[in-house]
């Protein structure tokens, strides 16, 4: 129901459920605030948002007053609200004066300086050159909140944004307030680290610089930085980010607003791996001579690769794509390998059984569509580690009161309650044939969904697991009418990838051809001497120590596992150093543009492959990135519609009945986790000192094992 209001002389209609602050902003007024945040519960702590309700005895706190509470005047005319009247102005000046009583003059040394809400609002709404308080300022001890958050609690104004975020969004009630009145302090319980994968968001939320980024501390001022809008590739969700650089260095990563993907949140790995972008870098080609890697020229490296490729039969060659590759270099590598006749191709480093029709490997519900679900089955996944921002969306749906969750896999704290079904894969059979109690929950739900993780698909019986999951989707009504969730369509079958490159590689068909070998077959063939040449495109998550000694070419940005086993190393670019397209697990294609240039002699990955193709006498048919993208879009038109969510076309029995294979389940093998350490999942993260500290402090109780252990 809407109600009429006159705000600053302008008559508007506002919904009863809105706060007065939202109604004022709807009318075009600017309302200052410190404690209020659109995604958090209303606290009404700071009183900065006061406005005048004409006829009321005192100014009104607009964030905690709803439109439905504002009754019309006695003559029936709409209530009048003034946001810039002398009454409102005096009230805000008084509040600002109180807030500054104890706030120290730390602006010259505060990392929040230049992007601080208190600075801005003191200038805009405070009194100029006037105050009535001369007492000593309150002193508060700084608190320990872990390796990512630096505290300066003298600056804290007790807005409680951080507390509400931790409790409501992150689902980790590690932050709270102790004491009352002047003695009130925000702290972690028992001085422990803030143990959430979303903890860095409290730095963005803090309006006064009491909580700042510890890794970024004293690195730069905001006006020194160049901003590049990009995306996060530390998981497959594709959170929208902004990369801040100075010169040739990345100094921080911040989230950007995108309601459909990440709202305004970013997980800690995506936010804090920036120091790993500059460490352990490959900045020149290397070739192995007499068992040792030695620096070489590009010409010598290409010549050695070409000589080995020409001496090797195509059936004894293979190529594997890693987790951080962009669509352009995947396309270039596939075209090059196809021209050489190589059919041993794979992009699924963990061995997941996926491929075929696009809906069979996407998160079809969409991230925003999760909020429409009322029943959820997790199979072999831990979304809190595999996609923390998605997990926050699931928690948000549960908080709304309509979501029942069951977890088939390792029991973990998901930040919301879930019925634990254990790790016995035989339970999946019971769910598929409808004899398990939760199958009835799914059948009775209006919009049921399941999330299938790589922990389940990477098993030896992964095809059988996929078949049962598709059967559950068919039998419980998960696959409904066509269209996106926003359009009324529904598809509750979801695959949760952990690698940013996976969907693009599957779209491009970077999987074994007929009679070709997958990752397991390639490694096994190398061990048996049946594979002599392996091209690794940033592939580091492989059991390389078990594959014997084939000739290995490693193209990548960091000196990680793949480089240590390579015979030739070609230095590529990190995601922040090239223009690349990435498809997230929804199938939504987004661009990550170049923010800085690669170090030393490193090149863009597609360009390396183009140059190598000349040496191999199989030149690729594109000389520029634009030409490559034209070829890519001609093959996959969705890569020309950036940011667009794929549209679900409705139930197709031929598709959903043919997924996987109707084989036996390995009931003696329990479901395992896809990720063993959230902070160290790829080459960039493993090069980061910040991520190493997080892993040691937050996951291993501050202990680091010595080599002898």
């Amino acid at each position: 129901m809407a109600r009429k209001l006159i705000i600053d002389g302008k008559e508007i209609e506002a919904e009863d459920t809105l706060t007065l602050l939202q109604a004022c902003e709807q009318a075009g007024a600017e309302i200052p605030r410190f404690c209020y945040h659109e995604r958090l519960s209303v606290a009404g702590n700071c009183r900065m948002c006061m406005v005048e309700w004409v006829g009321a005895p005192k100014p009104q706190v607009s964030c905690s007053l709803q439109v439905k509470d504002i009754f019309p005047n006695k003559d029936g005319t709409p209530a009048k609200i003034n946001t810039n009247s002398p009454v409102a102005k005096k009230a805000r000046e008084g509040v600002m004066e109180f807030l500054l009583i104890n706030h120290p003059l730390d602006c010259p040394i505060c990392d929040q300086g230049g992007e601080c809400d208190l600075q801005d609002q003191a200038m805009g709404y405070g009194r100029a050159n006037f105050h009535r308080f001369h007492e000593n300022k309150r002193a508060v001890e700084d608190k320990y909140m872990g390796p990512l958050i630096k505290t300066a609690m003298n600056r804290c104004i007790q807005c409680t944004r951080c507390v509400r975020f931790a409790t409501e969004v992150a689902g980790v009630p590690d932050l709270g307030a102790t004491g009352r009145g002047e003695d009130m302090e925000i702290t972690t319980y028992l001085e422990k680290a803030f143990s959430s994968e979303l903890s860095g968001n409290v730095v963005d939320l803090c309006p006064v610089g009491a909580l700042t980024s510890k890794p970024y501390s004293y690195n730069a001022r905001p006006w020194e930085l160049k901003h590049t809008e990009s995306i996060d590739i530390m998981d497959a969700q594709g959170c929208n980010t902004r990369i801040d650089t100075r010169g040739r260095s990345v100094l921080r990563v911040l989230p950007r607003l995108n309601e459909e993907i990440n709202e305004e949140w970013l997980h800690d790995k995506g936010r804090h791996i920036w120091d790993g972008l500059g460490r352990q870098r490959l900045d020149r080609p290397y070739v192995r001579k007499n068992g040792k890697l030695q620096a070489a020229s590009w010409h010598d490296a290409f010549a050695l690769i070409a000589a080995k490729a020409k001496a090797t039969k195509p059936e004894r060659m293979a190529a594997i794509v890693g987790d951080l590759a962009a669509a352009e270099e995947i396309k270039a590598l596939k075209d090059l390998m196809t021209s050489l006749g190589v059919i041993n191709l794979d992009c699924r480093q963990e061995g997941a059984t996926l491929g075929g029709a696009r809906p069979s490997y996407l998160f079809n519900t969409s991230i925003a569509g999760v909020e429409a679900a009322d029943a959820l089955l997790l199979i072999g996944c831990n979304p809190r580690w595999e996609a923390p921002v998605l997990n926050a969306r699931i928690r948000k749906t549960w908080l709304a009161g309509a979501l029942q969750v069951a977890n088939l896999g390792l029991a973990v704290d998901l930040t919301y309650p879930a019925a634990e079904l254990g790790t016995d894969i035989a339970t999946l059979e019971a769910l598929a044939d409808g004899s398990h109690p939760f199958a009835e929950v799914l059948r009775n739900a209006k919009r049921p969904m399941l999330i299938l993780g790589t922990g389940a698909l990477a098993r030896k019986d992964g095809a059988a697991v996929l078949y049962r999951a598709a059967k559950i989707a068919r039998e419980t009504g998960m696959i409904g009418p066509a269209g996106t969730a926003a359009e009324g369509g529904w598809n509750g079958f979801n695959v949760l990838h952990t690698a940013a490159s996976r969907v693009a590689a599957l779209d491009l068909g970077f999987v074994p051809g007929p009679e070709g070998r997958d990752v397991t077959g390639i490694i096994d063939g190398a061990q048996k001497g049946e594979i002599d040449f392996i091209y690794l495109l940033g592939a580091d998550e492989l059991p390389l120590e078990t594959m014997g000694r084939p000739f290995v070419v490693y193209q990548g940005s960091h000196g990680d596992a793949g480089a240590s086993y390579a015979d030739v190393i070609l230095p590529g670019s990190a995601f922040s150093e090239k223009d690349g397209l990435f498809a997230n697990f929804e199938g939504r294609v987004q661009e990550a543009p170049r923010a800085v240039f690669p170090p030393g002699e490193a090149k863009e990955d597609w360009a390396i492959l183009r140059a190598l193709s000349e040496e191999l006498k199989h030149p690729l048919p594109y000389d520029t990135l634009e030409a490559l993208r034209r070829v890519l879009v001609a093959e996959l038109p969705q890569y020309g519609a950036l940011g667009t969510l794929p549209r679900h076309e409705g139930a197709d029995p031929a598709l959903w009945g043919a997924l996987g294979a109707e084989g036996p389940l390995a009931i003696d093998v329990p479901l395992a986790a896809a990720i063993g350490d959230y902070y160290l999942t790829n080459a960039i993260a493993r090069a980061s000192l910040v991520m190493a500290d997080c892993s040691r402090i937050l996951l291993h109780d501050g202990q680091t094992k010595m080599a002898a252990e």
Side-chain angles (χ1 to χ4, degrees):
M1 180 179 175
R3 182 166 297 191
K4 289 184 178 181
L5 297 173
I6 298 175
I7 298 176
D8 293 338
K10 178 182 178 181
E11 184 174 308
I12 68 160
E13 281 195 4
E15 292 294 326
D16 276 354
T17 54
L18 294 180
T19 64
L20 180 55
L21 186 151
Q22 290 172 311
C24 290
E25 292 193 330
Q26 186 177 307
E30 181 179 310
I31 307 296
R33 84 290 298 270
F34 291 112
C35 69
Y36 177 79
H37 192 277
E38 291 81 356
R39 303 187 197 278
L40 305 176
S41 61
V42 174
N45 291 351
C46 72
R47 327 303 283 180
M48 191 65 196
C49 62
M50 287 192 287
V51 298
E52 180 189 12
W53 179 0
V54 177
K58 60 182 181 180
Q60 303 296 307
V61 180
S62 62
C63 73
S64 58
L65 186 67
Q66 287 189 300
V67 170
K68 65 183 178 183
D69 298 322
I70 303 174
F71 47 83
N73 296 323
K74 290 182 179 180
D75 60 1
T77 58
K80 294 182 179 180
I81 307 296
N82 294 325
T83 66
N84 285 310
S85 66
V87 172
K89 187 172 183 293
K90 182 179 179 182
R92 292 169 184 167
E93 288 175 348
V95 169
M96 181 60 69
E97 194 175 357
F98 272 112
L99 289 176
L100 295 178
I101 291 172
N102 285 315
H103 196 81
L105 189 60
D106 282 349
C107 298
I109 61 163
C110 178
D111 278 333
Q112 201 89 325
E115 42 192 15
C116 172
D117 290 346
L118 185 63
Q119 275 184 340
D120 296 341
Q121 294 184 40
M123 294 296 293
Y125 302 99
R127 286 183 175 143
N129 303 319
F130 173 76
H131 66 92
R132 292 169 286 181
F133 296 93
H134 303 281
E135 292 81 4
N136 291 331
K137 293 183 181 289
R138 183 179 81 142
V140 182
E141 279 190 17
D142 293 341
K143 304 299 188 294
Y144 174 73
M145 292 191 183
L148 300 179
I149 303 171
K150 178 184 176 183
T151 63
M153 302 313 290
N154 284 335
R155 304 170 189 161
C156 181
I157 61 171
Q158 289 88 41
C159 70
T160 70
R161 278 186 179 183
C162 57
V163 176
R164 285 176 284 147
F165 172 84
T167 305
E168 297 165 14
V169 179
V172 179
D174 284 350
L175 296 182
T178 62
R180 301 181 69 183
E182 188 180 5
D183 296 324
M184 181 177 175
E185 298 182 17
I186 303 297
T187 182
T188 56
Y189 300 118
L190 303 177
E191 292 284 307
K192 69 185 289 290
F194 183 12
S195 55
S196 169
E197 299 75 25
L198 300 169
S199 66
N201 291 289
V202 299
V203 173
D204 297 337
L205 289 171
C206 183
V208 297
L211 305 178
T212 56
S213 173
K214 189 176 286 187
Y216 175 70
S217 180
Y218 302 128
N219 271 5
R221 287 297 194 183
W223 53 84
E224 299 178 292
L225 302 176
K226 173 190 171 186
H227 309 312
T228 304
E229 294 187 352
S230 186
I231 60 170
D232 167 50
I233 68 165
M234 291 298 105
D235 61 23
Q237 184 163 349
C239 295
N240 285 210
T241 63
R242 190 188 83 193
I243 298 176
D244 288 355
T245 59
R246 184 177 61 191
R248 300 189 67 166
S249 300
V250 175
L251 295 186
R252 67 175 178 180
V253 179
L254 297 176
R256 283 190 294 126
L257 180 68
N258 189 315
E259 295 289 353
E260 294 184 330
I261 300 176
N262 59 299
E263 297 180 306
E264 60 187 82
W265 313 126
L266 182 61
H267 61 116
D268 288 344
K269 186 165 52 177
R271 183 187 293 267
H272 292 292
I273 50 83
W274 52 266
D275 70 314
L277 291 168
R279 293 176 51 81
Q280 299 181 13
R281 291 302 305 270
L282 300 173
D283 60 357
R284 66 189 67 182
Y286 289 87
V287 298
R288 191 177 296 275
K289 295 180 180 179
N290 300 320
K292 293 184 179 181
L293 288 169
Q294 299 180 14
S297 67
W298 282 100
H299 178 269
D300 290 344
F302 283 166
L304 183 57
I305 296 170
K308 186 64 179 178
K310 289 173 184 175
T312 307
K313 295 180 179 179
E315 61 269 21
R316 300 180 70 88
M317 299 172 66
I320 301 174
V321 165
D323 291 350
L324 305 181
E328 290 88 347
E329 56 253 33
I330 299 172
K331 170 66 174 168
L333 180 59
K334 182 168 188 259
D335 288 351
L336 178 58
M337 290 294 125
T338 301
S339 70
L340 295 173
V342 179
I343 59 173
N344 303 315
L345 311 174
D346 209 349
C347 62
R348 304 159 298 185
Q349 289 190 88
E350 73 290 328
T353 307
L354 283 172
R358 202 170 194 237
S360 68
Y361 55 80
L362 293 184
F363 197 93
N364 295 289
T365 300
S366 79
I367 297 166
V370 168
E371 296 186 31
D374 51 0
L376 168 61
L377 173 63
L378 302 174
I379 305 173
C381 68
N382 174 9
R384 182 173 174 182
W385 276 11
E386 295 171 32
V389 180
L390 171 69
N391 196 62
R393 184 86 71 154
I394 297 173
R395 174 176 167 78
K396 178 182 178 182
T397 308
W398 169 77
L399 281 174
L403 185 65
Q404 297 183 71
V405 184
N407 177 35
L408 178 57
L410 290 176
V412 293
D413 178 10
L414 294 167
T415 72
Y416 43 85
E420 294 295 344
L421 307 184
T423 60
D424 186 355
I425 195 64
T427 305
L428 185 64
E429 190 73 72
L431 287 161
D433 62 27
S435 61
H436 193 280
F438 197 75
E440 185 67 21
V441 173
L442 293 172
R443 280 194 296 270
N444 293 334
K446 292 181 179 178
R447 288 193 165 184
M449 62 180 285
L450 65 80
I451 299 178
L452 187 58
T454 51
L457 292 169
R459 296 162 50 94
K460 290 185 177 180
D461 59 351
V465 170
L466 180 60
Y467 178 83
R468 266 74 171 186
K471 184 179 179 182
I472 293 171
R474 296 195 311 269
E475 299 295 331
T476 58
M478 285 185 185
I479 304 169
T484 64
E487 297 168 339
W490 186 253
N491 185 342
F493 181 87
N494 302 297
V495 174
L496 181 58
H497 296 285
T498 57
S501 66
R502 192 61 41 81
V503 170
L506 291 173
D507 285 344
L508 287 162
F510 207 97
V511 292
E515 308 301 322
R517 297 173 182 260
D518 60 9
V519 160
T520 303
I522 292 169
I523 299 296
D524 183 62
Q527 188 177 26
K528 294 177 180 178
E530 297 168 357
I531 295 292
D532 298 327
F533 181 106
I534 301 178
Y535 199 108
L536 302 179
L537 182 59
D540 297 288
E541 322 304 322
L542 296 166
L544 299 172
E545 67 281 357
T546 67
M547 69 178 186
R549 286 304 307 171
F551 184 85
V552 175
V553 179
Y554 179 80
Q555 178 181 331
S557 59
H558 284 69
D560 204 73
S564 66
Y565 284 89
D567 294 284
V568 178
I569 295 175
L570 304 177
S573 302
F575 75 97
S576 58
E577 300 160 359
K578 61 188 175 186
D579 296 306
L581 298 178
F582 293 86
N584 74 348
F585 54 56
E586 300 173 295
R588 190 192 307 260
V589 181
Q590 302 179 97
E591 183 177 15
R594 175 192 283 136
V596 292
F597 285 91
E601 297 179 39
K603 310 292 182 185
E604 291 189 51
D605 291 279
W606 77 268
I608 294 173
L609 290 160
R610 175 64 182 84
L612 178 59
S613 71
E614 287 283 353
E615 190 73 27
L616 293 170
K617 309 303 181 186
H618 289 272
L620 295 173
Y622 29 78
D623 296 323
T624 65
L625 181 64
E626 291 72 22
L628 170 53
R629 285 187 174 175
R630 284 195 294 271
V631 174
L632 179 63
V633 172
E635 179 179 342
L636 300 170
Q638 63 267 31
Y639 281 72
L642 299 185
T644 303
L645 185 68
R647 191 175 185 274
H648 165 52
E649 297 301 332
D652 180 357
L655 167 62
W656 301 104
L659 289 190
E662 192 177 1
L665 293 170
I667 58 175
D668 57 328
V669 181
L671 281 164
I675 295 178
D677 189 325
Y678 161 72
Y679 297 101
L680 304 175
T681 55
N682 57 61
I684 299 175
R686 286 189 289 269
S688 167
L689 292 176
V690 177
M691 291 297 100
D693 279 346
C694 288
S695 175
R696 177 176 56 84
I697 294 169
L698 299 174
L699 299 184
H700 301 107
D701 299 320
Q703 302 297 316
T704 302
K705 287 188 176 182
M706 303 302 291
E709 298 179 286

